[in-house]
Amino acid sequence: MLRCVLLAAALACALPAAAQVQRNFPASALRGTLAITQPPEVLLNGAPARLAPGARIRGTDNLLVLSGGLIGQRFVVDYTVDIAGLVMDVWLLTPQEAARQPWPTTAAQAAAWRFDPMAQTWSRP
C-alpha cells in the first residue's frame, strides 16, 4: 500500500516536468495555418493541399492525432512536405511555440535564413 502511494506521488511530480519538454523541429519545417477539410484534403495557408500517405499529425502534447478528429478546425502549425509536395509531418503548436519568431513560411525563406537546432530559432541574414 505504501509503495502505491509513493509511486503515485513520484508520478505526480514527474508529469509537470514532462509537459515542459521542448519539442525539436527539423530545419525543413515551415510555419503555416492548417485546416482539415475532408482527409486527406486540407487547406494549408488557405490553399488546397493533401496529406501524404502515412502523414503524422502531432498535437500540442506531442502525441499523434488522427486527422478525422480535426475536421473543421484551424491550427497554427509547423509542417514538412515530402518530395511530391504532400504534407508529411505536422506539429500543432502551443501558444509559446507559435510566438517564436521569426520562423520561415516558405522554402525560399528557409534556404536564405540560418537555423540553430539547439535553440530552435531562425535568424534572418
Side-chain angles (χ1 to χ4, degrees):
M1 178 73 165
L2 180 60
R3 281 185 267 168
C4 292
V5 172
L6 292 174
L7 179 62
L11 287 175
C13 292
L15 288 177
Q20 296 184 19
V21 172
Q22 177 178 327
R23 295 194 287 179
N24 291 320
F25 303 107
S28 59
L30 302 174
R31 177 80 38 95
T33 58
L34 180 80
I36 308 287
T37 54
Q38 183 63 37
E41 303 299 325
V42 298
L43 290 176
L44 185 60
N45 300 323
R50 191 175 182 90
L51 293 173
R56 293 176 298 259
I57 302 173
R58 295 193 177 273
T60 55
D61 55 5
N62 214 34
L63 297 176
L64 292 177
V65 179
L66 299 177
S67 59
L70 304 176
I71 293 174
Q73 299 177 56
R74 186 174 167 205
F75 302 95
V76 176
V77 299
D78 281 352
Y79 67 94
T80 63
V81 294
D82 66 9
I83 197 164
L86 301 174
V87 179
M88 186 63 189
D89 295 297
V90 176
W91 294 269
L92 306 181
L93 299 181
T94 65
Q96 294 82 12
E97 291 168 338
R100 236 184 271 157
Q101 296 292 333
W103 200 277
T105 56
T106 66
Q109 286 177 340
W113 297 1
R114 199 176 122 242
F115 182 63
D116 180 356
M118 296 303 288
Q120 288 289 294
T121 57
W122 286 90
S123 57
R124 296 179 180 138

